[in-house]
Amino acid sequence: MTGGDWSRAFRHHPVKNSYDVVIIGGGVHGLAAAYYLAKNHGITNVAVLEKSYIGSGGSGRNTAILRSNYLTPEGIRFYDRSVKLYEHLAADLNFNVMFSQRGHLTLAHNDSSLRTMAWRAEVNKLQGVDSSVIGPDEISKLVPYLDTSAHTRYPILGALYHPPGGIIRHDAVVWGYARAADALGVHIHQNTELVGIDVEANRVVGVRTAGGDRISTPIVLNCTAGWSTLISDLAGVSMPVQTFPLQAAVTEPVKPFLDTVVVSGTLHTYVSQTDRGELVFGASVDPFASYSTRGSLEFVEGLAGHVLELMPALSKMRLLRQWAGLCDMTPDYSPIMGPTPVEGFHVDVGWGTYGFKAGPVSGEAMADCIAGGRPPEIISAFGLDRFEAGRLVGEKGAAAVGH
């Protein structure tokens, strides 16, 4: 095929007056939920509304790292299911998502961190997840360019090694889900911004768009990540969520030398190398709530210093670009999933810095929740009511900078 002969990956449809389910947000969570509603439950009269283009939010701004070595049993089971879905996603969608399971290292620079890594490793093993603590000699074999000497400011005492972890092509995941959902009959509406959610007698009855569309629907699913509180407010549902920017950067491409994903919570940085040779860096969220997606010089200066403490040999590499995404942070660093006090209004939000890892399992679970009328067991711990009841799922020890 040449020029204009390429067929569209998914079709353009006029907005209908009525849908069985309306999903807000055209990222991996929204598209996965639409796909699994159609594939697993035969619910195809579904609309995905995206105010920009699909993948324009967090799904296109993350650093595409996947892992399941979390801290709580609830979190480990959940993310392990997601990794297993990712392992077969290319075959399921007939679309190459370029999942590279190259291993994941979380470095420990002090005794306290090393104890936490040992704790996480044991909880992981109990849940059937491959994780173990390794020493500096083994770390050096996996990543020869890491400075594992005892003379650095923050010596590397050990690491939590998680072989199933790795990286993936995030935009390919979004495109694959969009194409597959479209083929099953789902309508994907880009450049369609939600401006209102109609609620009568504490029940969702429809939504309104900036283009003047009024859509009748009994079910609305909020999958808008950093914008989640603004959407929930439209339905009169308050969320214990704050939005913070998360910045990242990428270098010029070089010959591949870094096989493993490397994370340092102490130095607030993580690094991986893409298939094209660029090094992708990130850090913790910015220390202030904001909706800004601009990068800052302060971030780059701090990031560069920490990266060079880990790998001094990178000092001559040039930075290519930087960007930021928006993270919807909850008090316990775990998501909010399932129904809300407003009947028919469901949420899949509160993903912080770890939402892309959960894309497939979140879509599958929310599809089960909507079709079955109740949250499935795998997300039962993540309900909104846990904050009032005091049943928090504390993942900060494994999620704060644990990319």
Side-chain angles (χ1 to χ4, degrees), residues 237-262:
V237 176
S238 179
M239 289 284 162
V241 169
Q242 281 187 295
T243 294
F244 295 87
L246 177 68
Q247 297 190 51
V250 66
T251 69
E252 62 185 331
V254 296
K255 183 178 179 180
F257 70 91
L258 181 62
D259 294 330
T260 311
V261 179
V262 177

Side-chain angles (χ1 to χ4, degrees), residues 22-26 49-51 192-199 204 206-210 220-239 241 243 291 328 340 342 345-349:
V22 171
I23 298 172
I24 314 303
L49 308 185
E50 168 54 52
K51 72 173 182 178
T192 306
E193 182 178 3
L194 182 84
V195 295
I197 298 176
D198 297 325
V199 178
V204 167
V207 299
R208 288 168 278 122
T209 72
V220 173
L221 173 59
N222 179 5
C223 296
T224 52
W227 307 96
S228 60
T229 54
L230 303 182
I231 299 302
S232 292
D233 286 347
L234 295 176
V237 176
S238 179
M239 289 284 162
V241 169
T243 294
Y291 287 97
D328 44 336
T340 69
V342 173
F345 183 66
H346 294 68
V347 294
D348 176 16
V349 303

Side-chain angles (χ1 to χ4, degrees), residues 6 17 32 75 94 104 134 162 165 186 196 210 236 241 255 269 275 327 345 361 366 376:
W6 289 100
N17 294 328
N94 190 28
H104 184 284
I134 61 176
H162 178 51
V186 171
V241 169
K255 183 178 179 180
T269 189
D275 294 331
C327 300
F345 183 66
V361 68
M366 290 310 302

Side-chain angles (χ1 to χ4, degrees), residues 71-210:
L71 181 59
T72 66
E74 299 92 341
I76 293 168
R77 288 194 295 268
F78 182 74
Y79 289 97
D80 188 49
R81 173 61 180 167
S82 203
V83 168
K84 287 180 167 55
L85 286 169
Y86 267 126
E87 288 174 342
H88 302 284
L89 194 61
D92 291 343
L93 303 180
N94 190 28
F95 199 94
N96 186 7
V97 294
M98 294 178 255
F99 185 15
S100 175
Q101 289 182 282
R102 54 183 60 190
H104 184 284
L105 281 174
T106 308
L107 304 179
H109 300 274
N110 52 55
D111 291 339
S112 176
S113 294
L114 201 57
R115 284 195 298 272
T116 300
M117 299 310 162
W119 175 14
R120 285 173 59 183
E122 294 308 310
V123 178
N124 274 248
K125 290 173 185 175
L126 287 172
Q127 299 298 326
V129 171
D130 188 359
S131 290
S132 59
V133 174
I134 61 176
D137 291 341
E138 292 173 273
I139 295 169
S140 185
K141 291 177 183 177
L142 287 169
V143 190
Y145 286 87
L146 269 180
D147 186 353
T148 56
S149 71
H151 308 295
T152 61
R153 184 165 65 131
Y154 296 103
I156 297 172
L157 304 184
L160 180 66
Y161 181 44
H162 178 51
I167 62 172
I168 199 166
R169 182 66 182 263
H170 48 23
D171 47 6
V173 173
V174 172
W175 297 335
Y177 270 127
R179 190 181 73 157
D182 172 82
L184 293 170
V186 171
H187 286 193
I188 299 171
H189 301 295
Q190 299 184 101
N191 301 307
T192 306
E193 182 178 3
L194 182 84
V195 295
I197 298 176
D198 297 325
V199 178
E200 296 178 3
N202 203 46
R203 174 191 289 269
V204 167
V205 295
V207 299
R208 288 168 278 122
T209 72

Side-chain angles (χ1 to χ4, degrees), residues 359-380:
V361 68
S362 296
E364 180 185 61
M366 290 310 302
D368 290 347
C369 181
I370 291 169
R374 55 178 292 186
E377 192 277 333
I378 198 168
I379 63 169
S380 59

